[in-house]
Amino acid sequence: MLQSTMLHIQARQTFSRTCNFAKRYLATAAPSKIHVGILLKRNPVILRKLTEFEHAYYTYRESLEQAESRPFHREFYFKKGSTAEQRWLDAQDAAAAAAERLEGGRTPLVQPRDEELAGLETAERVTEADKGGDVKSLDRALERTLYLVVKKADNGSWEFPAGPLEGEEVLHEGATRHLHSEVGSSLETWVVGRTPVGHIAAQDKKTFYMKAHILSGKIEPNKRFAQDFAWLTKQELKEYLQPAYYEQVHKMLAEF
Amino acid sequence: MHARIATKSTRSVSSQRGWASHLLRRQGTFLPNATLATTATVPVPSVQEPPVFRARLEEHYYNSLLEDLMVLTYDHTSPHASLSHLSKTRDWNRRLPETPLQSLFSVPVERLPTVPASETTTNILTLENARVKDVVLKRKFRKGLFNPIDYTTVLKEKYDAREDAPPPPPYAPLPSRLPIVSKVMLRIWSEAAVANKTILLSAIMSLQSITGVRAEPLFATVGDASKKIREGMPLGARVELTGVKMYEFLDKMTQCVLPRLREWDGLNPVGDDNGSITLSLPSTAIGYFPDIEPHFDMYPRLFDTDIVIQTTGKSDWETVLCLSGFQVPFLKERVVAQEEEVEDANDPWAKFRKPKTREERRAMAEKLKKMHQAQQGASKQ
């Protein structure tokens, strides 16, 4: 009984000592402000161009498949004497004249040209924005990921949009709110989850970066925060961002 | 050397093959996947055959979706999420070997196949015959295990009870742990083929058209005299898709077919909690596939198709998350069969009621477990 009372008193003393210690420690360290940064990205729009080796490999595989495939049963897919059958046969005859013979004397099958699709033109992989180097356009570098950077109003350096959290809001709420205030409220974005993808700890503040996708809208930079903006790939960001800043953020960015 | 004894099971297997042998594809020479030395630990499920083209969904997954999945599934409390643990994993320290092509294509002589794999083989020593075949075993103890010592029977629930599945591995932000679609299986089962088995040709053709892969016929494993079904009768067809063909099929389904389904708002986000989720397309929906629509009249009959999408997700939530990234629509809320509210302890008929749904069976199994534990506790005291 005496032993348990002694232990209890010891525990209480230890607890109060640690409390005082904690109070003294915390009193000297100033609470750091939490800022939220936004990594707004536009995903690739088109597939990347195949390398020479890949192109050769797929061409080779396709020719093998054509050569080894089972014969095409025309009578199953087309009714005898129908216009669809005639169209298909004309397309094969036209292709046979131009194409080279495969093993077994078969020519590769072709699809007849569709009238609906005849009027369509495929868009260019290299757009006007690419040729003009218009970094404000989202139509540039269609096969790459583009990130939004803004030129800060106070020191003119290029950085990702960032700002302090207000009130009791959490990171993903603060990200949307700050993004709208910095680059315009007509944006439609999707913040990926509630977990930040990276952080930068400075002396007075910690900035946690939230990843977001742009769905639609126009960037209208708010003069209070940002003088200018640009949509850049990871390689271009290396030239625009400060080297120290780039070192801290480049691992958050997708390679392609 | 063991001669193959002609048993009843082997006879039925060969007769099945005889019926469908003209539909089975002649297999060319190939190296089994297991013999290729791979260094990659990025989720790359075994491929059906080398790709002929590049799948856009696959590129989308590796370029954009994988990152988002990592962020959305991140769990900082997981012991495997810390940097100190990650830096010791194999994924983190992945390095290409000094001669990558050599190690990729070199196969030890012991592991080379002795002859090219072929179904028309008479040599019983070939790899083809050495492989364990998937034989459907007959269910022997249908009426419960009979204990001859004291003439008691074991309840079916207790006899069929299995150990609980191990808990899923803890979260780690590594590509090998994140969910990816691994397989898609399509299945048609039609008891109308009892009367006329040639209608199955239409089933097999439709599966082949929409997938680009030869379908295999499915045979009845149990007979039912009232429906005139005999064991071994061909009544369905199935096809398994992996790799590029799987992504193409998913692409066609999400872009062409699912948007045109009537009175359908999305998949039920309930799977088997281990990465699989099922979807049943009505026969009208099969006609929306771009491979079938132009030649719709050439298919005498289209069938309701069950589609099972298998992912490497470790729970329903991960599966749904992964598939949402491929634009598969889901319902906002899970639709689960409601348990009957008759949980009366004094109900004399309770023990005779058979559990119908998976939830009821689970509840029954848990109740039995608790009773058993209570009994054990009572006997110990």
Side-chain angles (χ1 to χ4, degrees):
Chain A
M1 169 67 181
L2 189 64
Q3 205 177 21
S4 63
T5 326
M6 288 296 290
L7 282 170
H8 182 60
I9 292 167
Q10 270 179 18
R12 265 213 341 242
Q13 285 172 348
T14 326
F15 178 68
S16 59
R17 248 183 266 131
T18 45
C19 267
N20 291 332
F21 177 73
K23 276 186 208 158
R24 254 181 277 131
Y25 178 74
L26 285 173
T28 49
S32 44
K33 292 204 191 94
I34 297 179
H35 285 229
V36 63
I38 302 104
L39 220 64
L40 191 63
K41 68 194 284 229
R42 185 222 69 192
N43 278 336
V45 176
I46 56 175
L47 294 174
R48 64 173 172 83
K49 208 164 169 205
L50 289 174
T51 60
E52 245 182 75
F53 176 69
E54 281 175 323
H55 187 73
Y57 174 74
Y58 286 129
T59 315
Y60 168 66
R61 286 286 314 146
E62 210 176 312
S63 64
L64 274 184
E65 187 142 298
Q66 287 272 0
E68 288 177 355
S69 64
R70 288 176 177 272
F72 177 71
H73 296 294
R74 176 170 35 108
E75 56 281 356
F76 179 83
Y77 289 102
F78 299 109
K79 277 207 171 84
K80 196 168 178 179
S82 64
T83 46
E85 190 192 27
Q86 197 52 53
R87 244 182 85 227
W88 190 83
L89 284 171
D90 292 340
Q92 304 314 309
D93 292 336
E100 47 197 64
R101 294 252 136 199
L102 288 174
E103 297 166 20
R106 276 191 281 155
T107 47
L109 296 174
V110 291
Q111 288 276 49
R113 213 167 127 75
D114 202 334
E115 283 98 42
E116 284 177 23
L117 302 176
L120 293 176
E121 283 173 17
T122 47
E124 299 249 332
R125 289 185 70 94
V126 178
T127 58
E128 293 297 325
D130 274 314
K131 290 173 194 159
D134 180 13
V135 292
K136 290 195 177 24
S137 166
L138 273 174
D139 274 337
R140 199 176 66 92
L142 293 177
E143 61 180 38
R144 305 290 310 281
T145 311
L146 291 179
Y147 295 95
L148 176 72
V149 280
V150 290
K151 193 168 185 181
K152 287 288 177 198
D154 44 2
N155 55 7
S157 61
W158 287 94
E159 280 177 9
F160 295 115
L165 286 180
E166 283 172 11
E168 294 289 318
E169 68 184 2
V170 285
L171 283 175
H172 65 279
E173 293 161 358
T176 329
R177 181 202 45 78
H178 180 77
L179 194 65
H180 286 174
S181 68
E182 186 156 348
V183 289
S185 47
S186 66
L187 284 181
E188 216 183 289
T189 55
W190 174 60
V191 178
V192 181
R194 296 169 188 195
T195 319
V197 292
H199 83 290
I200 295 178
Q203 272 179 340
D204 57 336
K205 64 179 185 189
K206 284 183 186 170
T207 314
F208 292 93
Y209 286 88
M210 297 295 289
K211 194 161 125 174
H213 294 260
I214 181 152
L215 303 172
S216 70
K218 203 172 158 213
I219 302 284
E220 282 144 4
N222 186 343
K223 293 290 174 230
R224 198 151 69 86
F225 300 105
Q227 306 167 3
D228 200 9
F229 75 97
W231 287 100
L232 303 171
T233 61
K234 189 177 179 181
Q235 281 66 35
E236 286 158 3
L237 277 174
K238 200 168 181 182
E239 291 146 32
Y240 275 68
L241 301 178
Q242 303 282 335
Y245 185 72
Y246 180 79
E247 266 306 304
Q248 288 175 306
V249 298
H250 78 282
K251 284 190 177 171
M252 291 191 257
L253 309 173
E255 280 304 318
F256 204 79
Chain B
M1 189 185 103
H2 301 280
R4 282 184 72 210
I5 302 159
T7 59
K8 193 180 174 195
S9 57
T10 46
R11 257 212 305 272
S12 58
V13 164
S14 58
S15 69
Q16 289 160 15
R17 286 184 129 189
W19 183 88
S21 58
H22 67 285
L23 298 172
L24 292 169
R25 177 165 49 176
R26 181 180 58 81
Q27 290 172 11
T29 318
F30 68 96
L31 287 174
N33 283 329
T35 63
L36 290 174
T38 51
T39 51
T41 47
V42 182
V44 178
S46 61
V47 289
Q48 207 153 27
E49 49 182 45
V52 180
F53 55 90
R54 148 180 79 160
R56 84 184 177 109
L57 285 190
E58 192 176 15
E59 290 248 339
H60 170 66
Y61 179 84
Y62 286 113
N63 287 347
S64 321
L65 187 55
L66 191 58
E67 285 185 1
D68 289 348
L69 286 175
M70 193 187 287
V71 177
L72 288 165
T73 54
Y74 194 82
D75 175 18
H76 69 277
T77 63
S78 161
H80 292 187
S82 66
L83 204 60
S84 54
H85 177 268
L86 286 176
S87 50
K88 292 173 205 147
T89 55
R90 203 171 144 218
D91 270 342
W92 202 266
N93 299 309
R94 205 156 42 108
R95 297 279 176 270
L96 272 180
E98 279 166 20
T99 51
L101 279 181
Q102 214 173 69
S103 50
L104 189 66
F105 289 105
S106 61
V107 179
V109 172
E110 306 86 57
R111 287 202 286 178
L112 283 174
T114 50
V115 288
S118 162
E119 71 200 25
T120 56
T121 177
T122 49
N123 186 352
I124 59 172
L125 295 176
T126 54
L127 267 182
E128 177 68 33
N129 289 321
R131 260 209 322 247
V132 174
K133 293 208 191 327
D134 295 322
V135 179
V136 176
L137 296 169
K138 280 191 180 181
R139 275 199 64 201
K140 285 189 181 166
F141 301 100
R142 283 174 201 265
K143 290 172 187 168
L145 188 61
F146 177 62
N147 184 347
I149 294 173
D150 56 2
Y151 299 98
T152 55
T153 51
V154 179
L155 281 177
K156 193 171 165 205
E157 286 78 23
K158 195 172 172 190
Y159 178 74
D160 288 337
R162 296 282 174 265
E163 279 175 20
D164 281 340
Y171 172 77
L174 295 169
S176 52
R177 172 65 180 86
L178 296 170
I180 187 174
V181 189
S182 59
K183 207 191 262 193
V184 167
M185 292 169 282
L186 289 91
R187 185 174 181 273
I188 289 173
W189 186 257
S190 170
E191 279 163 11
V194 162
N196 175 18
K197 76 181 172 200
T198 53
I199 70 170
L200 276 186
L201 290 173
S202 184
I204 291 173
M205 271 316 278
S206 63
L207 283 180
Q208 190 181 313
S209 300
I210 60 181
T211 59
V213 175
R214 278 283 186 199
E216 295 168 346
L218 282 176
F219 303 90
T221 50
V222 287
D224 186 352
S226 60
K227 295 183 196 168
K228 299 184 199 161
I229 297 173
R230 283 188 309 280
E231 199 186 312
M233 226 180 205
L235 289 178
R238 78 185 293 259
V239 71
E240 269 186 28
L241 300 173
T242 51
V244 153
K245 289 210 150 64
M246 171 189 73
Y247 286 114
E248 273 294 296
F249 175 78
L250 276 177
D251 211 348
K252 276 189 282 196
M253 202 175 70
T254 53
Q255 302 299 318
C256 305
V257 179
L258 296 183
R260 290 173 71 177
L261 288 179
R262 285 192 221 112
E263 293 171 9
W264 188 83
D265 296 318
L267 264 93
N268 188 8
V270 174
D272 69 343
D273 216 24
N274 203 25
S276 293
I277 205 154
T278 41
L279 157 70
S280 186
L281 285 182
S283 50
T284 46
I286 306 297
Y288 298 146
F289 275 93
D291 318 88
I292 292 184
E293 206 173 3
H295 319 286
F296 189 75
D297 300 329
M298 304 317 293
Y299 296 86
R301 185 170 163 172
L302 294 171
F303 297 88
D304 292 346
T305 313
D306 298 322
I307 298 170
V308 178
I309 306 170
Q310 212 179 70
T311 65
T312 57
K314 304 297 176 202
S315 65
D316 271 350
W317 177 71
E318 281 187 26
T319 316
V320 168
L321 189 69
C322 175
L323 290 176
S324 309
F326 292 114
Q327 292 199 309
V328 176
F330 285 93
L331 296 171
K332 288 279 182 324
E333 285 181 9
R334 296 158 60 96
V335 175
V336 171
Q338 294 299 320
E339 273 182 33
E340 274 184 25
E341 297 293 325
V342 189
E343 288 283 329
D344 198 5
N346 298 327
D347 186 7
W349 302 109
K351 61 180 178 178
F352 297 108
R353 278 209 192 85
K354 279 192 181 164
K356 290 198 184 74
T357 61
R358 197 199 300 164
E359 276 73 25
E360 285 178 21
R361 277 197 290 271
R362 278 196 190 148
M364 172 97 130
E366 270 175 38
K367 230 188 340 184
L368 271 170
K369 211 202 278 183
K370 275 186 197 152
M371 265 168 51
H372 190 62
Q373 281 171 358
Q375 272 178 4
Q376 274 191 338
S379 64
K380 272 185 192 160
Q381 281 171 7

